[in-house]
Amino acid sequence: MHGVSTQRPDEQRVFAEKERLRFPLLSDAELALTAALRLPTFRAAGVSRLKRLTLVIDRYRVVREVFYPVTHIEASVRGGSGGGHALRLRSRQRMIRASISRA
């Protein structure tokens, strides 16, 4: 289990401590993964940030479920939707798998 954000590692440490996250965060400050998967973003103070979502990815790097929007991080991590809705992906799975392989 990992989290991904567009924040720099130093910003992530502060966020993780504040939110009491129990999993590591990976930085996508260059937006490579965000662009490859076309993840939803927003701009704050002129900086692109990821909207909160949960991707359930299997061992073959296939996205099986997406929970979006996520309103509660820990609930989403535990397997609930965290207040969001499950989106089933079928037609885009091959494209997403290829994108993850390149990222």
Side-chain angles (χ1 to χ4, degrees):
M1 168 100 40
H2 291 84
V4 177
S5 81
T6 61
Q7 295 172 308
R8 297 182 321 262
D10 59 310
E11 294 173 310
Q12 287 179 330
R13 278 189 293 278
V14 172
F15 176 79
E17 288 173 10
K18 178 183 172 195
E19 295 293 326
R20 298 180 183 180
L21 300 183
R22 293 178 277 162
F23 51 88
L25 291 174
L26 305 173
S27 178
D28 187 28
E30 300 298 319
L31 303 175
L33 183 65
T34 300
L37 295 180
R38 298 186 317 186
L39 299 175
T41 60
F42 66 96
R43 296 202 44 94
V47 178
S48 289
R49 300 289 189 206
L50 284 170
K51 292 184 179 182
R52 289 183 182 168
L53 64 115
T54 298
L55 299 174
V56 179
I57 303 173
D58 70 15
R59 66 162 78 177
Y60 303 106
R61 298 181 178 174
V62 174
V63 176
R64 295 296 179 185
E65 281 188 290
V66 177
F67 294 102
Y68 178 79
V70 169
T71 56
H72 188 273
I73 296 169
E74 286 294 327
S76 176
V77 169
R78 286 191 302 270
S81 66
H85 301 282
L87 305 173
R88 300 286 178 195
L89 302 176
R90 289 193 177 83
S91 61
R92 295 189 57 213
Q93 285 180 344
R94 288 189 184 132
M95 180 194 71
I96 291 171
R97 185 181 332 155
S99 296
I100 291 172
S101 296
R102 287 191 296 261

